Amino acid sequence: MAIQFSAGTTDAESGGPGIARRRMLDTDRVPGTRVLLDLLTLEAGAALPLDIASDSLAWFQLLEGAVRFSGDGVRAEQELTADHVAFLPPGFRGRIVSAEGASLIRAEAPKAAELDPDLTANPPKLRVIDWTREPVLDSEHDARKRIYLATPKLFGTHAIKGEMIIYPPGTSGANHHHVGADHFMFFLKGSGTAYANEAPFRVKKGDLVYFPDLERHYLTADPDCEMSFVEFFAPGTFQTIWVNPAEVCTWNPTGRDIRGNGGVREIARHGGEAATPADV
């Protein structure tokens, strides 16, 4: 059954001087999870070390505020905002510092080579993306929008797959399940109803929902607000099965980013594939 956690009811612990850490997803809460996720709040002036184990992958996404990012392979200190997601390769050493305070989600996939057998021989490199410049794709069957965050083309590994999904008010997706991957969502905005094996439960900004492999699920946004979330799969190669084959999720390119400008790359129409298309 789906497991839901809320930032508002998850106790904070110290993550270092000026840092509050909420363990949203770990092996105590979800035994056997292949991804760990923390919600971190940095006070003004706080510094968060980023020390990634030699057999792990990690990534973080700013939710509010701004940070200065430095470390291995970062040529010059970078200013990151809520527009950015950073993917950190095995063994990365660095840190982020917030002058005025910030919040972010930080995730890690321990023993990442178990998720991608090619990772040891071909480890991914550090990558920072501005998701607001990535191409937006429109769902063919409904009003949802998709922006890819973690793919082999973006991060250089099949260990994880990540994307942002935007639901306009009142929008619903189609019922489906995944085969071969754990799946979790962190809600960035809005509220709605999620369904796990057709059983409804409420979701809202700050919630994390973990769907085990094979569990049917879909979501509906509330009629008065836009709902968005980031979702990740581990491993990033899996199969999706649709309850109604006529509703197989198909995504059409818009040629634009979320701001309405030309995207930084092109992605062709696709959908229903067991694997991520080569141009994604």
Side-chain angles (χ1 to χ4, degrees):
M1 183 63 184
I3 304 173
Q4 180 183 21
F5 306 107
S6 173
T9 58
T10 301
D11 292 338
E13 60 185 70
S14 175
I19 302 173
R21 177 186 186 186
R22 289 177 168 82
R23 298 176 187 260
M24 300 295 291
L25 181 60
D26 62 18
T27 54
D28 289 334
R29 290 187 141 187
V30 182
T33 179
R34 290 179 279 188
V35 175
L36 313 175
L37 185 139
D38 292 338
L39 175 61
L40 300 168
T41 303
L42 280 60
E43 297 178 359
L48 175 70
L50 300 168
D51 297 326
I52 311 307
S54 61
D55 61 351
S56 294
L57 295 174
W59 61 98
F60 66 87
Q61 178 174 350
L62 268 290
L63 303 176
E64 295 178 348
V67 299
R68 300 190 306 276
F69 174 52
S70 60
D72 301 340
V74 183
R75 294 183 179 180
E77 189 175 67
Q78 297 185 26
E79 183 84 7
L80 304 184
T81 69
D83 295 344
H84 295 97
V85 183
F87 296 98
L88 312 178
F92 177 85
R93 296 291 181 271
R95 71 172 191 164
I96 56 177
V97 179
S98 179
E100 298 182 357
S103 64
L104 64 144
I105 51 174
R106 180 193 183 278
E108 180 176 357
K111 299 180 181 180
E114 296 180 1
L115 302 173
D116 182 357
D118 295 331
L119 187 138
T120 301
N122 299 291
K125 297 181 180 179
L126 171 70
R127 184 68 62 90
V128 177
I129 68 166
D130 179 343
W131 66 263
T132 69
R133 294 302 324 282
E134 289 295 311
V136 173
L137 295 109
D138 285 344
S139 172
E140 189 166 290
H141 299 299
D142 51 68
R144 291 176 300 151
K145 298 181 182 298
R146 170 185 276 183
I147 300 171
Y148 284 108
L149 301 179
T151 65
K153 193 175 184 70
L154 287 173
F155 191 27
T157 178
H158 290 274
I160 59 170
K161 179 183 177 183
E163 56 211 24
M164 181 182 298
I165 308 293
I166 300 170
Y167 279 60
T171 300
S172 292
N175 199 1
H176 63 285
H177 71 270
H178 305 293
V179 181
D182 292 346
H183 175 206
F184 69 90
M185 304 172 174
F186 183 84
F187 286 80
L188 303 171
K189 182 179 180 181
S191 59
T193 302
Y195 296 83
N197 290 337
E198 292 75 54
F201 59 97
R202 296 288 298 164
V203 291
K204 64 184 184 306
K205 177 182 176 180
D207 284 358
L208 184 143
V209 177
Y210 176 91
F211 291 104
D213 191 19
L214 304 180
E215 183 167 61
R216 296 185 305 278
H217 55 276
Y218 67 101
L219 297 98
T220 299
D222 282 341
D224 59 349
C225 66
E226 180 179 271
M227 181 178 71
S228 65
F229 55 86
V230 289
E231 62 178 350
F232 288 91
F233 302 84
T237 301
F238 54 90
Q239 187 177 12
T240 300
I241 306 296
W242 304 90
V243 171
N244 181 355
E247 296 179 336
V248 168
C249 201
T250 301
W251 298 94
N252 294 314
T254 66
R256 299 289 179 179
D257 62 25
I258 199 67
R259 302 185 189 278
N261 302 313
V264 294
R265 60 196 180 100
E266 295 183 2
I267 297 177
R269 179 181 184 272
H270 63 276
E273 300 89 349
T276 303
D279 64 343
V280 171

